[in-house]
């Protein structure tokens, strides 16, 4: 058996009201860097934000200032993506990742 770093979403689907604050969360075992991506139907995933493991402050996305990421450490590690004032246009597939998954320009 081979063991390695693992990351899994805490929920696979979320439904919330427009204008609410939504937090997407993933649990992970260990990582140097954690990434969030968003994918709309019939489109390629787009990079949203990167945070390094051990960061003590939340980090805002350069793509959308309503998006921020924060780490929770302890027995169970979490990387949370907060969407402030959620809009219908935020309906998409979101990915948390341990390593970059989209090639091209960084």
């Amino acid at each position: 058996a081979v063991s390695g770093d693992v990351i899994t979403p805490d929920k696979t689907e979320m439904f919330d009201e427009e204008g609410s604050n939504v937090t997407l969360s993933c649990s992970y075992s260990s990582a140097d860097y954690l990434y969030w991506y968003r994918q709309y139907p019939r489109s390629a995933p787009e990079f949203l934000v990167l945070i390094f493991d051990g960061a003590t402050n939340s980090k805002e996305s350069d793509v959308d200032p309503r998006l921020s990421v924060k780490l929770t450490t302890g027995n169970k590690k979490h990387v949370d993506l907060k969407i402030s004032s959620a809009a219908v246009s935020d309906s998409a597939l979101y990915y948390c990742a341990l390593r970059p998954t989209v090639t091209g320009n960084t």
Side-chain angles (χ1 to χ4, degrees):
V2 176
S3 63
D5 297 334
V6 176
I7 190 166
T8 41
D10 290 355
K11 291 184 181 179
T12 55
E13 285 186 300
M14 287 197 66
F15 301 91
D16 226 314
E17 293 183 14
E18 191 171 11
S20 64
N21 294 332
V22 176
T23 301
L24 307 177
S25 185
C26 288
S27 300
Y28 68 98
S29 57
S30 65
D32 292 329
Y33 297 94
L34 296 127
Y35 303 78
W36 278 96
Y37 295 88
R38 172 174 59 197
Q39 185 175 22
Y40 291 109
R42 296 173 299 281
S43 297
E46 70 172 317
F47 170 77
L48 296 176
V49 65
L50 157 71
I51 193 167
F52 70 92
D53 187 33
T56 55
N57 297 322
S58 62
K59 182 171 180 190
E60 191 176 282
S61 170
D62 293 333
V63 174
D64 185 337
R66 296 177 307 113
L67 305 178
S68 61
V69 65
K70 182 181 177 189
L71 296 178
T72 303
T73 57
N75 287 345
K76 201 168 187 184
K77 296 181 176 189
H78 293 272
V79 57
D80 300 331
L81 178 70
K82 181 180 177 184
I83 305 171
S84 299
S85 300
V88 173
S89 59
D90 293 317
S91 296
L93 183 57
Y94 290 82
Y95 296 96
C96 46
L98 297 171
R99 294 176 187 85
T101 57
V102 177
T103 58
N105 294 336
T106 56

